[in-house]
Amino acid sequence: MSSNVVPVPNEENIITISQHDQNKLHKTKLSFIDIVSFLKEIIAKLDIKKVIHSVKIGIALVLVSLLYLLDPLFQKVGQNAMWAIITVIVVFEFFIGATLSKGINRAIGTVLGGGLGCLAATLADESGEIGGALVVGISVTIIGVGATYSRLIPSVKKKYDYGVLIFILTFSLVVVSGVRADKIMKLAGERLSNIVMGFAVCIFTSFIYPIWAGDELHFSTATKFDKLATSIQGCLEEYFVIANDEEKKATIDISGCKSVMHSKSSDESLANFAKWEPWHGKFGFFYPWEKYLNIGEVLRELAAMIISFKGCIQSVRQSSPTERDNIREPCEKIGLSLATILMELGDSIRDMKRCCAKSLITQCMREELSLLVNLDNNNNSTDNESTLGLASFIFQILEMVDKVELLATKVEELGEIAHFHNKKLDV
């Protein structure tokens, strides 16, 4: 009988291989998890509005490129389709109001510049060689000087700077081109039609998940109230913390105040773009965007006061802990009232509902303010620096109260003009 030998595998080798495979598989899983978490972090850091805007730019470029890619369209527009592509690249902006502003400015500038350029070119063509050169030189000089000077006027520069720039460019190109008037008219008409097509693509694409400048200005203004309220509370809390621990240094976060201070140019741009936008949501035609700029100006003044207030708190010439404890209760009440009122004002704008914050200042804070002033007058400290520091501290609180009262008035005016809904304010 023959026997078959069956090899028996080494159990240690089997275990070793299995453990190796398990470690390899475990590392693969870890690396996959790390990749997924890394991608999540990247996505979390992305601004969804910026991503949407970038995608819309891509869609608009694809749509306008069809003028080149499709033969029936290319036969009608020809090489002038390039002007439609240029229009999309130049005109398409982040906010719809900005896109409308640049598109309308570009169209008006092209029409006016092309029309005047055609007249000047026709006159130059009929004036002979020498006379034509004089007409071209004089017309370009006059239009260039006048239009450039108008760009320096603040009101024109604010709204129509791009349109004036396109006007100068179009006029100069048409006049200096040197072709005959009939060809100029044909060329100007073709370019204008392509610019209009590019602008139409921009508008169509902009209304896909629209990003409104008015919404951005509205909610950013409301958010500023919360930032300043948090800063005021932080300053007062830190002031009395230092009173209990003289070695502790103030670590007040006033980054919110700094962001409010630097918001002027952004607010003005948003307000300008918002005026070009059509009716959307709760914002109708002729909405009082100027009132937002007025409120923003007062908010920046209050932010500057808070930054100065921080310097006052951190001064080495501030009053002693005992003197600070004497005014602690009224100061905390005033600080809480200021923060509450600012948050209510921010909610009033955000929800577009009226509130009576100004009456709250009159009812809830006058007693604490008078008590605070009396405590300052009764201060018997012999240290002139300490007395001056305490007086400066109280003075700045009084100034902030007055500024918040002015803010309440501005917000109430906005509510009346913009027809905010009535809102009962709980005390």
Side-chain angles (χ1 to χ4, degrees):
M1 293 178 64
S2 61
S3 60
N4 295 327
V5 179
V6 179
V8 179
N10 190 335
E11 294 182 359
E12 293 182 359
N13 291 338
I14 293 176
I15 295 172
T16 304
I17 293 172
S18 299
Q19 188 69 34
H20 176 72
D21 291 340
Q22 290 177 6
N23 292 336
K24 186 176 180 181
L25 181 61
H26 183 63
K27 289 181 179 179
T28 304
K29 290 181 178 179
L30 283 178
S31 61
F32 178 73
I33 294 173
D34 292 339
I35 292 173
V36 172
S37 61
F38 177 71
L39 291 175
K40 287 183 177 180
E41 290 179 0
I42 293 177
I43 294 173
K45 293 179 180 179
L46 293 176
D47 189 340
I48 187 64
K49 289 185 178 180
K50 294 180 180 178
V51 174
I52 291 174
H53 173 68
S54 302
V55 172
K56 290 194 294 186
I57 287 283
I59 294 173
L61 289 174
V62 170
L63 292 176
V64 79
S65 297
L66 295 178
L67 296 174
Y68 263 111
L69 300 177
L70 299 179
D71 290 337
L73 295 177
F74 181 77
Q75 291 176 0
K76 291 183 179 180
V77 299
Q79 296 295 332
N80 287 316
M82 183 62 66
W83 287 95
I85 298 176
I86 294 174
T87 299
V88 170
I89 296 173
V90 173
V91 169
F92 208 124
E93 293 288 341
F94 189 77
F95 298 106
I96 289 183
T99 302
L100 287 170
S101 173
K102 292 193 73 173
I104 294 173
N105 271 276
R106 184 177 180 86
I108 295 175
T110 301
V111 171
L112 293 179
L116 289 177
C118 289
L119 291 176
T122 303
L123 181 60
D125 185 63
E126 295 178 353
S127 301
E129 184 176 353
I130 299 177
L134 290 175
V135 169
V136 170
I138 293 173
S139 62
V140 169
T141 301
I142 294 175
I143 295 297
V145 171
T148 302
Y149 181 81
S150 67
R151 292 184 65 196
L152 302 177
I153 301 174
S155 59
V156 176
K157 186 176 183 64
K158 185 177 180 180
K159 294 183 179 181
Y160 309 109
D161 181 67
Y162 182 69
V164 177
L165 179 64
I166 295 299
F167 169 76
I168 298 173
L169 175 63
T170 305
F171 178 83
S172 301
L173 288 176
V174 172
V175 172
V176 180
S177 60
V179 297
R180 297 186 61 85
D182 54 346
K183 294 183 179 180
I184 292 176
M185 292 297 294
K186 181 181 178 181
L187 182 62
E190 290 177 350
R191 290 185 178 180
L192 180 61
S193 62
N194 280 275
I195 289 173
V196 171
M197 284 189 287
F199 179 53
V201 171
C202 291
I203 297 302
F204 170 77
T205 314
S206 294
F207 281 91
I208 302 174
Y209 292 99
I211 303 174
W212 303 100
D215 290 348
E216 184 70 20
L217 177 60
H218 179 81
F219 290 109
S220 65
T221 302
T223 304
K224 291 173 187 175
F225 286 89
D226 298 335
K227 293 179 180 180
L228 298 185
T230 303
S231 298
I232 290 176
Q233 280 188 311
C235 286
L236 290 175
E237 289 174 2
E238 202 70 43
Y239 181 73
F240 294 108
V241 166
I242 298 174
N244 297 327
D245 187 0
E246 295 183 356
E247 296 181 356
K248 182 178 179 61
K249 293 184 178 180
T251 57
I252 306 167
D253 183 14
I254 57 170
S255 57
C257 293
K258 292 181 179 179
S259 66
V260 173
M261 288 284 292
H262 298 151
S263 64
K264 181 178 177 63
S265 60
S266 175
D267 289 351
E268 290 179 348
S269 297
L270 289 174
N272 181 34
F273 298 150
K275 293 175 182 178
W276 291 90
E277 293 176 347
W279 188 306
H280 62 281
K282 299 179 181 179
F283 308 109
F285 295 109
F286 307 109
Y287 192 78
W289 297 114
E290 291 294 336
K291 289 294 182 182
Y292 283 82
L293 297 181
N294 296 336
I295 292 173
E297 193 65 35
V298 181
L299 284 170
R300 283 186 286 275
E301 292 174 2
L302 180 59
M305 288 183 179
I306 297 174
I307 294 174
S308 176
F309 190 51
K310 176 192 174 184
C312 176
I313 290 172
Q314 294 178 332
S315 174
V316 296
R317 295 179 177 84
Q318 268 302 333
S319 56
S320 64
T322 303
E323 293 171 336
R324 297 188 198 188
D325 285 336
N326 292 334
I327 63 171
R328 180 166 190 163
E329 185 176 354
C331 283
E332 288 181 342
K333 289 183 179 180
I334 292 173
L336 180 60
S337 298
L338 287 175
T340 302
I341 291 169
L342 285 172
M343 289 181 180
E344 288 291 342
L345 292 173
D347 291 339
S348 173
I349 293 178
R350 186 181 294 108
D351 301 331
M352 300 185 75
K353 294 182 179 179
R354 296 185 185 181
C355 69
C356 302
K358 187 177 179 181
S359 62
L360 270 184
I361 298 176
T362 303
Q363 295 174 3
C364 303
M365 299 177 63
R366 295 305 175 190
E367 294 182 3
E368 284 79 6
L369 288 172
S370 60
L371 177 61
L372 191 61
V373 173
N374 290 333
L375 289 173
D376 182 35
N377 293 333
N378 295 331
N379 180 29
N380 296 322
S381 175
T382 57
D383 187 354
N384 291 332
E385 287 189 352
S386 177
T387 303
L388 183 60
L390 184 62
S392 176
F393 174 81
I394 295 175
F395 172 77
Q396 294 201 47
I397 290 180
L398 296 176
E399 287 294 304
M400 286 192 292
V401 170
D402 292 339
K403 195 61 66 175
V404 171
E405 188 172 5
L406 178 60
L407 271 174
T409 303
K410 296 289 185 182
V411 173
E412 289 180 6
E413 291 176 358
L414 173 63
E416 292 178 1
I417 298 174
H419 304 293
F420 284 3
H421 302 293
N422 290 326
K423 174 184 177 182
K424 185 178 179 181
L425 188 63
D426 297 328
V427 181

